[in-house]
Amino acid sequence: MFQKIFQNKKVLVTGNTGFKGSWLTLWLLKLGANIIGVSKDVPTNPSLFEILNLEKKIKHHYLDIKDIDKLKKIIVSNKPDFIFHLAAQPIVSESYKNPIDTIISNSLGTVNLLQIINDIDWKCSVLFVTSDKCYENIEKSSGYKETDKLGGKDIYSSSKAAAELFISSYFRTFLKNKENLSLAVGRAGNVIGGGDWAKDRLVVDCMNAWNRKKAVKIRNPFSTRPWQHVLEPLSGYLHLASLIDQSKDLNGEPFNFGPNQNDKLNVESLIKKLSKTFNLENPYKIIESNNFPESELLQLDISKAKKLINWQPVNRTNEMIEAVSDWYYTYFNQEVDLEELTLNQIEIYESRASKRKLPWAN
């Protein structure tokens, strides 16, 4: 997998205690990497990071990335071969309650890392993870391309757009011609999968409600999002990081990672498919809410990733649904070891990618 490029390499992951960070950490461990984790805390209870017992398997540091001096000390002392930057305030609703913290974490936290890597003197490849919400959303049905306008009507979106602008400006001003350094950006959103327990997330709300035999409360049943299993963008991040490590051809480039256009689902369709495992007659009910505005349509154009790095989604819609619902159903019913189940889902995903002859799966 990934041409064994991560085997025995030192890989620093910021935000490693989060949902995506935990899946990425487990996959990198499976690939033979030595992980250095940096996170300010364990963000949820339950926590996938704790369920998978990851702290005992890596070199972990509890640190807020806003502290540039301590972050620099960790990076310089470990001299990682790869850095995956996932640390962020990831919840849209939280950005309405704490806008300043969201801006500092998502934008200036990224600047701290950019400033640190500007000074390093060893070979390092850095993958910055932002969000599909960095685009100025005009309800575009064809999907946003990497060349589309950045922006955001809300603080979360604008904090991600600002992070993108800082990455671009640092790259063009300081980092572009550094022989020892390569970087790229991965944009993805509406990632679902087992072990996500963050608040105000649709799938998490569904699972918690259905476990109590209750209908989940939803606001906009016909809102469409680029739902994708967590392993889809992670395969893109890993593939992209391996490519920029081997060649400067993609240095500084952003890439969208999402589902195919014909695989998009609205909220109602996703809920109906997910709820089948839980055998509920009325899985949801619609409520009115004026807490914050939400876009009806959000879709990414992934043609650049398909063309330039030969990446594409692996899971069919039914495979994504099965993986998500099976993980949570197993968690609630305590049927098997969850670390074993999570690793098994990674192996199934790798096998599907290999059968579909994707280059990273060789």
Side-chain angles (χ1 to χ4, degrees), residues 127 146 171 183-186 240 249-255 304 308:
L127 196 287
E146 290 83 351
F171 175 74
L183 68 88
V185 178
L240 182 54
D249 291 346
L250 302 172
N251 194 22
E253 290 288 326
F255 284 86
K304 180 179 177 181
L308 293 189

Side-chain angles (χ1 to χ4, degrees), residues 102-320:
T102 299
I103 292 167
I104 292 173
S105 295
N106 296 356
S107 303
L108 298 183
T110 300
V111 169
N112 283 348
L113 180 56
L114 287 162
Q115 183 60 44
I116 292 167
I117 65 173
N118 183 44
D119 296 329
I120 67 175
D121 58 4
W122 66 90
K123 186 177 184 294
C124 186
S125 298
V126 187
L127 196 287
F128 290 88
V129 176
T130 61
S131 172
D132 59 351
K133 294 173 182 63
C134 68
Y135 295 106
E136 183 70 39
N137 194 347
I138 55 174
E139 309 286 340
K140 186 178 179 181
S141 60
S142 60
Y144 296 97
K145 295 182 178 180
E146 290 83 351
T147 52
D148 282 335
K149 182 180 179 181
L150 301 175
K153 298 175 183 176
D154 61 90
I155 295 297
Y156 176 80
S157 299
S158 62
S159 74
K160 290 296 187 178
E164 290 272 2
L165 291 173
F166 286 131
I167 294 167
S168 177
S169 62
Y170 256 82
F171 175 74
R172 289 182 288 175
T173 304
F174 304 116
L175 308 176
K176 184 176 182 179
N177 296 318
K178 286 184 175 290
E179 291 298 323
N180 66 311
L181 190 69
S182 296
L183 68 88
V185 178
R187 299 169 180 170
N190 295 97
V191 175
I192 62 177
D196 187 5
W197 300 106
K199 64 179 181 179
D200 296 333
R201 291 236 177 104
L202 177 64
V203 171
V204 182
D205 291 345
C206 286
M207 297 305 162
N208 285 327
W210 296 343
N211 184 50
R212 302 191 307 271
K213 307 300 181 185
K214 303 288 186 180
V216 67
K217 298 175 182 178
I218 62 173
R219 296 180 297 270
N220 300 304
F222 303 114
S223 292
T224 299
R225 295 289 184 269
W227 312 105
Q228 58 182 323
H229 189 268
V230 61
L231 292 176
E232 302 282 26
L234 293 188
S235 71
Y237 304 159
L238 290 165
H239 182 42
L240 182 54
S242 71
L243 292 176
I244 63 172
D245 186 66
Q246 299 171 74
S247 170
K248 287 283 189 176
D249 291 346
L250 302 172
N251 194 22
E253 290 288 326
F255 284 86
N256 290 335
F257 298 106
N260 291 309
Q261 284 277 55
N262 58 356
D263 287 333
K264 61 186 178 184
L265 293 171
N266 63 29
V267 169
E268 183 180 51
S269 297
L270 180 70
I271 287 176
K272 286 182 176 180
K273 290 178 183 295
L274 280 173
S275 64
K276 288 181 180 179
T277 299
F278 291 79
N279 196 28
L280 295 172
E281 186 175 342
N282 298 303
Y284 72 94
K285 62 180 178 181
I286 301 171
I287 62 169
E288 291 187 8
S289 175
N290 296 315
N291 289 341
F292 56 89
E294 292 182 284
S295 301
E296 290 294 319
L297 177 65
L298 182 58
Q299 182 69 29
L300 293 177
D301 183 320
I302 60 172
S303 57
K304 180 179 177 181
K306 287 183 174 181
K307 182 179 180 180
L308 293 189
I309 64 174
N310 200 13
W311 177 90
Q312 58 182 300
V314 172
N315 284 329
R316 311 292 187 244
T317 299
N318 65 308
E319 293 168 340
M320 173 186 72

Side-chain angles (χ1 to χ4, degrees), residues 310 312 351-362:
N310 200 13
Q312 58 182 300
S351 177
R352 286 173 182 159
S354 181
K355 289 177 181 177
R356 290 163 193 169
K357 302 187 184 305
L358 297 185
W360 63 262
N362 296 326

